[in-house]
Each structure stands twice: as structure tokens, then as C-alpha cells.
Amino acid sequence: MILTRLSRQKQQPISTTVTLLARLFSTSTASSKLRDYYAFQPPPSLSPDLQSVNLNPTSKKKQKPRYRPPSSLDNIKPKRSNLPFDFRFSYTESSPNVRPIGLREPKYSPFGPGRLDREWTGVCAPAVDPKVTSVEGSEDPELEERRWQEREMIQGAPLTEAERKILVEKCQKNRTKRQINLGRDGLTHNMLNDIHNHWKLAEAVRIKCLGVPTVDMKNICTQLEDKTYGKIIKRHGGTLILYRGRNYDYKERPVIPLMLWKPHEPVYPRLIKTTIDGLSIEETKEMRKRGLATPVLTKLAKNGYYGSLVPMVRDAFLVSELVRIDCTGLERSDYKKIGCKLRDLVPCILVTFEKEQIVVWRGKDYKPPEDGHFFTNRETFDDPSSDADRFDSSDEINDQ
């Protein structure tokens, strides 16, 4: 009995294989009959022999490209601007004579990819050589000559005293609210476009200057006239009135490509050194302690007008070798820029920025400058009459 049961169990898998083979032959014969009698071509998925099927790759349909929404960057031709100077983010807070020691980001152009025919070097977009790799050196003298000729052509004949008074009166606060604010970034590149937009509606525009750039008002006035081809017809403290010129035509205004974002500031050398030149480490530490204990010369207000800071420091150096300026509440980057400007304008030596204070030292061999006021080359108006002298004297009183 046991042997018969085992023989039956062994025979079961043989019978199953026979049935499977029979089904396979039946399907193959059925497909052959269909192919013979009806010329039926089964699809590749149902074909018993996939290798015999000839798949033609060229017969496949071309896949449609994925949907891509329209963009403002498509089919943009790079703009060409004939302005004969290097494009910078700020013309008053960055100097072409100071070379950075590094960059905080790759050289991505703030004008956008492919929007400008000038190459961005990380600091500026040069006008002379688009492939320049160094920001050192002065500009091409041909560009300076061309800039001077264009400005003289636009300005035309000088204004008379009566015309100047009328334009100044039209720009007063009680007559118009149009105003351009110049803040901590100074004269930015996009501000040039704002000035031309104001000149479309009026012959002169009022510019209010506050913050760090007001330490050097001479630089602001020089850069405004140089980059816009306009002329400052009045200055009262931090308020300027910029005239566009007699022959100005808004339709022939220069092409000013706009910066789409603010580029990162490059890395510059440290302002405060471990040891001051000519002193030892112990003497430097002692000087910093004495500087922080020195009475405060003045306290700077946030976003205030600092036009009188340089003459104040110069006068204080006549009686004291160390001067401390209280910068409580100001941004650290702001009072660092103020200290850098004082170093160049006074001139002086920076001691420390600790505890939101600016401490400067006049040096061992200090000689007061011959000019008592930092604004030596003051803008002379068209008619040096008593009225113009009155405006100049009022500016000096406000600065002091």
C-alpha cells in the first residue's frame, strides 16, 4: 500500500508537465492557423517569440517637449550702453583705486544673464575692455575727454541769476514733493535712471542726502555731476538741487541698464590692525583703553547728516591726540565706513571700533591741514553775486 501511494505521488508532476506542453502546442498551432488563414499579426506583447518580432525604432512617435512656461529671459538681446564710465553698484561708496582681496560670491552679473554686453568683474562692469581682470588703474583719457564734451554740449550757456532763483524756488518743499533720497548706499547705478525720470517732468530735481555718504559731500557732488552730466545749482547742508541743462532732451537720454539685485560687497583688507604702525603691542592696547575712556566728541544719529564731522575731528586734534565718536544704534557696517572716510579725509589712524565707538589717533607727526574746511573746491554758481555768497556762507554755518 505504501509503495503504491508513493508511485502515485511521483506521477503527479509528470502529468502536470504534459498538460502544460499540450496547452502550449495548442496555442502555437492556433496562432499558426490564424496566421495562415486570416493573415493575423499578433502584437509583440502577445507574440510567443519576442525575438522574431522586428521592432523598428524609427516608427516610434517623437515625444513632445515638456511644457515650459514663457520667461522674460527668452530671446533677450544684450543691451549696449554708450556711457563712458565703468558701471558700479555705488559710485560714491566704492573706489576704483582700492582693490579687494577676494569676492564673496562668483562673478554673477547683477544686470542678469545675457542682458548687458559688458562683463562683470565682481566689482564693476568696465567700459574700456570687457574682458578686464583687474580693477586697478585709471580710466582711459579718451573717455574723460568724451565725457567732458558731452556734458558741455548738454549744459549749454550758463544760467543767469534770475533763472537759477526760479529753478531753486520750484524745487522747494512747499512747491513740489518730488525728491530723490540718497541713503547709506550713496549714489547707486539705478539712481541715475531715477534722476532722468524726474528730469522728464522738471528741469531740476531735489536730492536729499543722509547717512554715511554725507561725511564726504564733495564726492557726492562730483559724482552726481560727472555721471548725470547735470549741474548743482544749490547746496544747503545735505539737500542738493541738480539742474539738467539747457540742451537736455529726454528722448536722447543715455541707455542705462538697471541692476536687478544688489551684488555682495567684496572682501577688503582689515581696517583695524593688531598693532598700530610704530607702536608695540602693549602700547597699542594701552592706547585703546585710553581711547575708550576719552570724553565723547559727538554722538551720531542714525541716518543723520554728518557733513560737519570732519572739521570737528580736525579741530579736536588740536587739543587732544585721541578722539572718540559715539555710534550707538548705528549698523556696524555704517560706522566702519565712517571710520574709513575719516582716515582718508582728516587724515588719522583708526584705533578701535569696540563698544560701538570710533576711536581715532592723530599720529606722532600730526600737522593740521592748511584748509580749514574739507569742502575746499566748493561749487561756484554761474553768477558769483552776493546771493550766491549768501548761500555758501549759510552752508558753512550749517556744516559747522
Side-chain angles (χ1 to χ4, degrees):
M1 294 293 290
I2 295 171
L3 293 173
T4 54
R5 287 179 181 176
L6 290 172
S7 61
R8 287 176 183 177
Q9 289 179 359
K10 291 180 180 179
Q11 290 175 359
Q12 285 178 358
I14 298 172
S15 61
T16 54
T17 55
V18 171
T19 54
L20 289 172
L21 289 172
R23 289 179 182 177
L24 180 60
F25 285 126
S26 64
T27 54
S28 62
T29 53
S31 62
S32 63
K33 287 179 181 180
L34 288 172
R35 194 179 293 111
D36 294 339
Y37 293 108
Y38 300 103
F40 174 73
Q41 184 71 22
S45 60
L46 300 177
S47 176
D49 189 5
L50 295 175
Q51 296 179 355
S52 63
V53 179
N54 185 16
L55 298 177
N56 189 6
T58 59
S59 63
K60 290 183 179 179
K61 289 185 178 180
K62 294 182 180 180
Q63 294 183 355
K64 294 182 179 180
R66 296 182 63 181
Y67 174 73
R68 183 172 176 270
S71 174
S72 60
L73 300 177
D74 296 337
N75 300 324
I76 290 181
K77 294 182 180 180
K79 286 186 178 180
R80 177 169 181 79
S81 180
N82 294 324
L83 289 174
F85 53 83
D86 298 351
F87 291 162
R88 293 177 171 268
F89 174 74
S90 177
Y91 298 104
T92 56
E93 300 307 296
S94 59
S95 175
N97 299 323
V98 180
R99 183 176 182 180
I101 60 176
L103 300 175
R104 300 184 188 275
E105 65 171 4
K107 297 177 182 179
Y108 294 137
S109 175
F111 297 96
R115 287 177 174 263
L116 192 64
D117 63 344
R118 300 185 185 185
E119 185 177 352
W120 182 257
T121 63
V123 179
C124 64
V128 183
D129 186 3
K131 296 182 180 179
V132 69
T133 57
S134 175
V135 295
E136 288 184 338
S138 58
E139 293 183 350
D140 190 353
E142 294 182 359
L143 294 178
E144 290 288 339
E145 183 68 20
R146 174 185 163 194
R147 187 186 308 178
W148 180 81
Q149 292 177 358
E150 289 183 1
R151 185 174 183 274
E152 290 295 322
M153 181 182 64
I154 292 174
Q155 285 297 316
L159 291 173
T160 62
E161 185 62 24
E163 291 173 335
R164 190 180 67 83
K165 285 183 178 180
I166 292 173
L167 291 175
V168 169
E169 183 63 27
K170 286 182 178 179
C171 292
Q172 297 302 317
K173 288 185 177 181
N174 58 353
R175 297 289 299 272
T176 179
K177 294 183 178 180
R178 295 193 186 98
Q179 177 177 294
I180 294 178
N181 296 320
L182 190 147
R184 63 172 59 178
D185 292 329
L187 176 59
T188 60
H189 178 80
N190 290 355
M191 197 177 293
L192 301 178
N193 187 62
D194 296 339
I195 292 173
H196 284 279
N197 289 337
H198 279 73
W199 278 347
K200 181 181 178 180
L201 304 174
E203 294 181 85
V205 58
R206 185 174 71 244
I207 301 175
K208 183 73 172 180
C209 306
L210 292 174
V212 180
T214 58
V215 178
D216 190 1
M217 285 298 297
K218 176 183 177 181
N219 187 29
I220 292 178
C221 297
T222 302
Q223 293 295 334
L224 277 171
E225 293 186 345
D226 185 53
K227 299 300 185 293
T228 62
Y229 299 154
K231 185 173 183 180
I232 296 175
I233 57 177
K234 185 187 175 184
R235 186 181 78 87
H236 182 75
T239 303
L240 308 173
I241 295 179
L242 188 64
Y243 173 59
R244 68 184 186 183
R246 290 185 183 273
N247 303 324
Y248 177 82
D249 187 3
Y250 181 79
K251 296 180 180 179
E252 297 181 359
R253 56 176 290 184
V255 177
I256 304 176
L258 298 179
M259 288 190 180
L260 304 182
W261 63 83
K262 178 182 179 180
H264 286 280
E265 290 186 358
V267 182
Y268 292 101
R270 293 184 60 182
L271 295 174
I272 303 295
K273 298 181 180 180
T274 306
T275 58
I276 299 174
D277 296 338
L279 301 179
S280 62
I281 297 177
E282 290 76 13
E283 291 175 344
T284 303
K285 290 181 179 179
E286 183 64 26
M287 182 173 292
R288 285 173 182 163
K289 290 181 181 178
R290 288 194 296 114
L292 292 174
T294 304
V296 177
L297 175 66
T298 182
K299 185 179 185 304
L300 301 182
K302 189 175 182 180
N303 296 328
Y305 175 70
Y306 312 136
S308 59
L309 185 60
V310 171
M312 287 176 64
V313 174
R314 288 179 177 177
D315 294 341
F317 277 158
L318 298 176
V319 295
S320 175
E321 63 175 357
L322 288 171
V323 171
R324 179 165 69 99
I325 302 169
D326 189 2
C327 301
T328 306
L330 272 69
E331 298 288 340
R332 184 172 179 83
S333 60
D334 287 354
Y335 59 77
K336 277 189 173 182
K337 291 180 181 179
I338 293 174
C340 185
K341 289 177 181 292
L342 291 176
R343 180 192 64 182
D344 299 333
L345 296 174
V346 173
C348 57
I349 299 173
L350 297 175
V351 177
T352 183
F353 288 134
E354 295 179 1
K355 299 180 180 180
E356 297 184 351
Q357 308 291 315
I358 300 176
V359 179
V360 292
W361 179 45
R362 67 184 181 184
K364 294 182 178 179
D365 301 328
Y366 176 74
K367 294 181 180 180
E370 296 179 358
D371 55 306
H373 197 280
F374 74 99
F375 203 86
T376 53
N377 299 324
R378 184 177 296 276
E379 173 70 20
T380 56
F381 300 116
D382 297 333
D383 186 8
S385 61
S386 59
D387 185 70
D389 296 333
R390 181 173 57 84
F391 280 125
D392 292 346
S393 62
S394 63
D395 290 347
E396 293 179 359
I397 293 171
N398 290 323
D399 291 343
Q400 294 175 358

